[in-house]
Amino acid sequence: QVQLVESGGGLVQTGDSLRLSCAASGRTSSSYSMGWFRQAPGKEREFVTAISGRDKSPYYADSVKGRFTISKDNAKKAVYLQMSSLKPEDTAVYYCALSLSGIVYYDPSRYNYWGQGTQVSVSS
């Protein structure tokens, strides 16, 4: 009932910036929480950032705090991830996720819908 599609990934150098977009369609609501996870080769999917559907507060992983910014446009049904000062360790497939509960979870298994992912590669 909800579809998510990410875009904006690419190959960049250390220190560069990228802006990822996630477009939602279907039965969406501003009361849903939405966020971003990433998964590097051979590693578990990890929390990056998300916005609560309850108090609208953003949450960030310590590894990206101060470098990444999440934003949401309810009219466009989209969520964005502005990434700055990129490092090689940011290299991963980035996934958009949505939770119907409106709660921000750090556990990816708690999210109800996922996008297909977009590749971000940062060279040194």
Side-chain angles (χ1 to χ4, degrees):
Q1 340 131 11
V2 177
Q3 296 81 45
L4 305 174
V5 179
E6 304 99 331
S7 62
L11 175 61
V12 299
Q13 294 181 304
T14 297
D16 284 353
S17 298
L18 275 177
R19 181 178 173 86
L20 306 184
S21 299
C22 174
S25 61
R27 294 183 177 272
T28 59
S29 170
S30 62
S31 66
Y32 300 160
S33 61
M34 294 184 69
W36 295 88
F37 287 74
R38 66 187 182 186
Q39 188 166 20
K43 299 186 68 177
E44 296 287 322
R45 188 167 299 188
E46 67 173 351
F47 175 84
V48 177
T49 180
I51 293 179
S52 170
R54 308 294 180 86
D55 62 9
K56 315 304 181 184
S57 297
Y59 296 80
Y60 296 94
D62 288 340
S63 60
V64 306
K65 198 169 298 181
R67 299 189 298 121
F68 291 10
T69 302
I70 188 170
S71 61
K72 189 178 179 185
D73 187 329
N74 291 319
K76 294 183 178 180
K77 296 183 178 181
V79 64
Y80 306 94
L81 180 62
Q82 179 64 51
M83 305 184 293
S84 300
S85 301
L86 283 163
K87 307 173 181 179
E89 49 263 46
D90 295 318
T91 295
V93 176
Y94 284 71
Y95 297 91
C96 179
L98 180 151
S99 174
L100 298 172
S101 73
I103 299 171
V104 169
Y105 305 102
Y106 294 97
D107 183 354
S109 69
R110 301 299 297 170
Y111 289 80
N112 303 102
Y113 297 96
W114 293 86
Q116 82 289 348
T118 186
Q119 177 72 48
V120 173
S121 299
V122 185
S123 65
S124 59

